[in-house]
Amino acid sequence: MKIDEQGNTVWEKNYNEPIQPSSMIKTAFDSYILVGAYVEEEYNRRLALVELNSNGEIKQIEVYELEADSFFVIKQTVDGNYVLAGGNKVIKVNSNSWEIVWIKYYNCWFSFFDIESLSNGEFVVVGDNLILKLDSQGNQIKDVILQRDSAQLYLSSFVLEGNETIIVAGIVTLKYECKVYIAKIKI
């Protein structure tokens, strides 16, 4: 559904595709890219990208032979391509051919929830209590693991302040108490 600034419905669409979207971006070409799971059977969830035109019509669907076992987020990179993060993997996709440029799996038990492309082509990805800085090929440059005594920390999003500093947001839980967590971190 697209809604204008006054709250009026511009268009509303229903699709007959078995796709469960988890994230969406607007591209520089006034289209929308959705990432999510293509679910043909209950336990067969493959990673999918869907492009919608400015009127919400499906332009293209690509289903990859990769398991969509978790939430994925999509962002456009500084070079115009797409980067996806979810589970313990980050995937770069060519925006013209929709072919996978590279896919990286990280040795962690964390789930990634947000990713951004830095102006120098590097990436920052966050999830649970982990922050990773990656080079332009997805290789890990640095990791930051945040600890809060015996509490559990779950980072869900962040904003960039240049190429060296981020402000992360999430929650911290201790037993049955849950509080907002925000920190400014040099990466």
Side-chain angles (χ1 to χ4, degrees):
M1 174 183 287
K2 183 174 182 177
I3 300 172
D4 66 17
E5 292 174 357
Q6 290 74 37
N8 301 311
T9 301
V10 177
W11 51 256
E12 182 176 350
K13 303 290 182 186
N14 291 306
Y15 308 104
N16 290 325
E17 298 293 337
I19 294 173
Q20 295 175 344
S22 60
S23 181
M24 178 174 67
I25 59 169
K26 184 175 183 179
T27 70
F29 305 106
D30 206 27
S31 63
Y32 304 92
I33 305 293
L34 302 169
V35 62
Y38 191 86
V39 185
E40 292 176 300
E41 300 169 9
E42 186 174 351
Y43 298 105
N44 185 9
R45 299 169 48 84
R46 293 180 293 154
L47 184 65
L49 289 180
V50 179
E51 182 177 14
L52 306 175
N53 66 18
S54 61
N55 295 319
E57 303 294 332
I58 294 177
K59 288 178 63 176
Q60 179 177 353
I61 297 176
E62 184 72 34
V63 180
Y64 300 94
E65 293 301 321
L66 293 169
E67 188 176 346
D69 54 353
S70 63
F71 171 88
F72 273 86
V73 63
I74 184 171
K75 299 287 176 83
Q76 197 151 22
T77 63
V78 294
D79 63 7
N81 292 307
Y82 306 121
V83 65
L84 295 71
N88 69 337
K89 55 187 161 284
V90 174
I91 303 164
K92 186 171 182 183
V93 176
N94 182 292
S95 61
N96 295 317
S97 67
W98 284 32
E99 292 178 6
I100 293 175
V101 177
W102 50 256
I103 180 170
K104 299 290 182 170
Y105 295 86
Y106 302 93
N107 188 17
C108 62
W109 294 100
F110 306 105
S111 293
F112 299 134
F113 294 108
D114 202 1
I115 189 166
E116 288 291 344
S117 177
L118 303 176
S119 62
N120 62 6
E122 296 174 346
F123 301 96
V124 175
V125 62
V126 301
D128 293 337
N129 66 335
L130 176 68
I131 302 167
L132 291 182
K133 189 170 188 181
L134 312 174
D135 69 13
S136 62
Q137 299 301 308
N139 300 307
Q140 186 174 328
I141 299 171
K142 182 178 181 180
D143 66 62
V144 177
I145 298 175
L146 302 175
Q147 302 292 331
R148 289 285 299 184
D149 301 322
S150 60
Q152 294 291 320
L153 182 58
Y154 302 98
L155 302 175
S156 57
S157 65
F158 69 99
V159 292
L160 297 171
E161 287 203 339
N163 286 334
E164 300 296 325
T165 305
I166 64 172
I167 298 175
V168 294
I171 59 170
V172 62
T173 61
L174 181 59
K175 295 187 182 185
Y176 301 106
E177 188 177 1
C178 181
K179 295 182 179 182
V180 172
Y181 177 84
I182 298 177
K184 187 172 185 177
I185 299 171
K186 186 170 176 66
I187 52 166

